[in-house]
């Protein structure tokens, strides 16, 4: 017979490793992918206890198995993607 612990869903975050400007590998937890104006944006948070905010990057598909992430220069797009994310997760995260 299954008990409550067996029935609870086990959450395992999807971890993405990126290389910063100095060549250091940094691990991020993938929080979501948001579609905005026919493009996709990945929402990441650094995978450590001191993480203070999210990172939003544009996804560009190279082929069926490969994606690259790019910084967003357009402040309006960045703001709109973040607002979409905040609205979607308003009951799960404290954004204040």
């Amino acid at each position: 017979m299954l008990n409550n612990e067996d029935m609870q869903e086990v959450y395992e975050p999807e971890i993405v490793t990126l290389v910063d400007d100095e060549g250091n590998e940094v691990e991020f937890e993938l929080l979501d992918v948001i579609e905005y104006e026919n493009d996709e944006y990945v929402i990441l948070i650094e995978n450590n206890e001191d993480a203070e905010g999210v990172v939003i990057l544009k996804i560009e598909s190279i082929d069926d198995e490969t994606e690259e992430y790019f910084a967003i220069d357009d402040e309006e797009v960045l703001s709109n993607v973040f607002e979409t994310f905040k609205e979607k997760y308003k009951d799960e995260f404290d954004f204040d």
Side-chain angles (χ1 to χ4, degrees):
M1 178 179 240
L2 293 175
N3 60 35
N4 284 341
E5 289 180 20
D6 293 331
M7 295 175 63
Q8 292 178 355
E9 186 175 322
V10 177
Y11 172 72
E12 291 196 32
E14 184 174 343
I15 302 300
V16 176
T17 303
L18 301 178
V19 178
D20 68 13
D21 294 337
E22 298 172 2
N24 301 310
E25 289 187 352
V26 182
E27 285 189 348
F28 291 87
E29 179 180 343
L30 190 151
L31 298 177
D32 200 3
V33 173
I34 301 291
E35 187 170 323
Y36 176 74
E37 293 188 351
N38 298 318
D39 289 316
E40 290 187 317
Y41 298 87
V42 64
I43 313 296
L44 306 168
I45 190 164
E46 196 166 341
N47 192 27
N48 68 47
E49 294 176 7
D50 298 329
E52 294 183 7
V54 299
V55 174
I56 302 173
L57 301 170
K58 184 176 180 183
I59 301 171
E60 300 243 347
S61 293
I62 304 304
D63 57 39
D64 289 342
E65 297 179 11
T66 307
E67 297 176 335
E68 288 189 359
Y69 301 150
F70 294 92
I72 303 165
D73 294 328
D74 186 328
E75 290 295 322
E76 183 178 345
V77 170
L78 189 62
S79 177
N80 289 337
V81 170
F82 186 57
E83 289 301 317
T84 301
F85 174 75
K86 285 181 8 180
E87 179 63 28
K88 185 174 179 179
Y89 290 97
K90 65 185 175 192
D91 295 331
E92 295 179 44
F93 295 110
D94 181 14
F95 292 103
D96 296 324

